[in-house]
Amino acid sequence: MPDESFLSWPFFEERHRAFARDLKEFARDLHVSHDDVDAACRTLVRRLGEAGVLRAVAPAAYGGEGEGFDVRTLCLAREILGYHDGLADFAFAMQGLGTGSVTLFGADELKRRVLPGVVKGERIAAFALSEPEAGSDVAALETTARIEGDTVVIDGEKTWISNGGIADHYVVFARTGEAPGARGLSAFLVEADAPGLTVAERIDVIAPHPLARLRFENCRVPLSHRIGEPGAGFKVAMATLDVFRSTVGAAALGFARRALDEALHRARTRHLFGAPMGELPLTQAALAEMATDVDASALLVYRAAWTKDQGAPRITREASMAKMVATESAQSVIDKAVQIFGGLGVTKGVKVEELYREIRALRIYEGATEVQKIVIARETLKGAGG
């Protein structure tokens, strides 16, 4: 059983503990075959919606709960779902990330159009920021959007887009030219059936998820689908990531917690040299490092989430620290779990092998570890003054 003592930390209120209890009961019975990844994601989104879990990704006025995002709830959801099923975590996360910009900056009409369906699990969301030559460097985006009357015409490509090919809408960032670099970007909601939008390629990765390259050729969308002010696309993207970056760390924490539990069970039940494996000093050293990494990650993740929920306008430094440490630590924890399992640990169908594939992408998406180090250093220098 996973360690639940962290729920008594002062970061949480009783409503968070109740949410965690209910979600754990739901997740224990969440068994969906991954043989057809597209179908699995559609099923998971529908079941998350039916169970009310997706209410966490939208305000109460549009079928969700609360006035805005409760980041602690988002993080608990991703940790618990990640512990049980990485694809379920992915399905939940993308419903939030793919509509977070609408929630934060969208007009009321746009919110009414998409958020209720997302909360019910009837509409699948996606966030289209990365391009072939612009991932971490958002200011280098080349996709363009020009205004023609009450229509926006988008041209360009997006790649590594999660839910690409199965989403009902994409939040797309494009260059509108109000100013050079990052100040000349805008965000738009593009329906999947918009004329001129095609799925150019489906992308297979080591831990299968719906992923695609999108092509926009004279793609026309209503100007009313713009999210936020003209030229404010960078602000929209960064504010959205500021909320959801901590949750990437929470997902990694869920993976790491599961790896630790699998390793503990293996150490207790596997006998080597006439004794349980857990009695070997090197195994104990590995388990000690794993447990410490898990707790350190949890402290940083929930510190960031709590800080945002207390009303901090931005948590750039805290979220970057949480994301960096939790994902890097989870990679280390899972690697040690695989080592404890030996040959069985690299056998397809064994949980630690699945976790080993699942964790790798988290160190890259929503800002690679190297980018987080730059962000943390800049924010720390800024805080030091001068």
Side-chain angles (χ1 to χ4, degrees), residues 157-382:
E157 281 195 357
K158 297 291 181 180
T159 194
W160 312 114
I161 305 306
S162 295
N163 277 344
I166 68 168
D168 294 293
H169 74 253
Y170 301 88
V171 172
V172 177
F173 297 84
R175 185 163 301 286
T176 42
E178 289 81 4
R183 293 178 296 167
L185 307 175
S186 298
F188 304 92
L189 183 106
V190 181
E191 298 283 1
D193 60 358
L197 168 58
T198 57
V199 176
E201 175 190 15
R202 294 299 299 270
I203 302 171
D204 291 325
V205 289
I206 57 175
H209 298 84
L211 205 64
R213 178 167 59 90
L214 308 177
R215 181 177 294 124
F216 300 85
E217 295 179 302
N218 202 35
C219 177
R220 308 179 75 85
V221 300
L223 182 57
S224 60
H225 282 203
R226 182 171 56 205
I227 303 168
E229 298 298 319
F234 184 80
K235 173 185 175 182
V236 171
M238 293 304 104
T240 305
L241 293 174
D242 205 45
V243 170
F244 288 94
R245 186 164 283 155
S246 301
T247 77
V248 181
L253 176 60
F255 293 167
R257 229 184 262 284
R258 179 62 179 270
L260 175 58
D261 283 356
E262 295 288 330
L264 287 168
H265 178 73
R266 178 74 170 174
R268 291 191 189 103
T269 57
R270 169 74 162 159
H271 281 66
L272 287 175
F273 311 114
M277 192 178 182
E279 293 185 9
L280 298 176
L282 287 176
T283 302
Q284 291 180 354
L287 292 171
E289 291 169 357
M290 294 162 75
T292 302
D293 280 345
V294 166
D295 271 17
S297 297
L299 284 164
L300 283 170
V301 166
Y302 290 111
R303 187 273 298 259
W306 176 86
T307 302
K308 186 66 175 177
D309 289 342
Q310 295 309 298
R314 296 295 301 272
I315 54 165
T316 303
R317 182 173 179 268
E318 295 89 342
S320 290
M321 284 182 172
K323 200 267 185 184
M324 179 184 75
V325 171
T327 57
E328 292 292 330
S329 295
Q331 182 83 66
S332 176
V333 169
I334 293 166
D335 185 72
K336 288 182 176 72
V338 169
Q339 198 72 9
I340 287 171
F341 269 72
L344 191 60
V346 292
T347 304
K348 188 172 182 179
V350 175
K351 187 63 182 182
V352 293
E353 183 272 339
E354 177 188 317
L355 291 167
Y356 194 81
R357 289 183 290 105
E358 287 278 5
I359 187 55
R360 191 59 185 84
L362 274 68
R363 294 169 58 204
I364 297 172
Y365 74 65
E366 289 191 42
T369 294
E370 292 74 14
V371 173
Q372 302 310 323
K373 289 179 180 179
I374 293 170
V375 171
I376 293 164
R378 287 177 177 172
E379 291 295 313
T380 302
L381 285 166
K382 189 190 303 180

Side-chain angles (χ1 to χ4, degrees), residues 97-110:
L97 184 63
T99 50
S101 300
V102 177
T103 298
L104 292 170
F105 296 96
D108 186 60
E109 179 183 348
L110 207 55

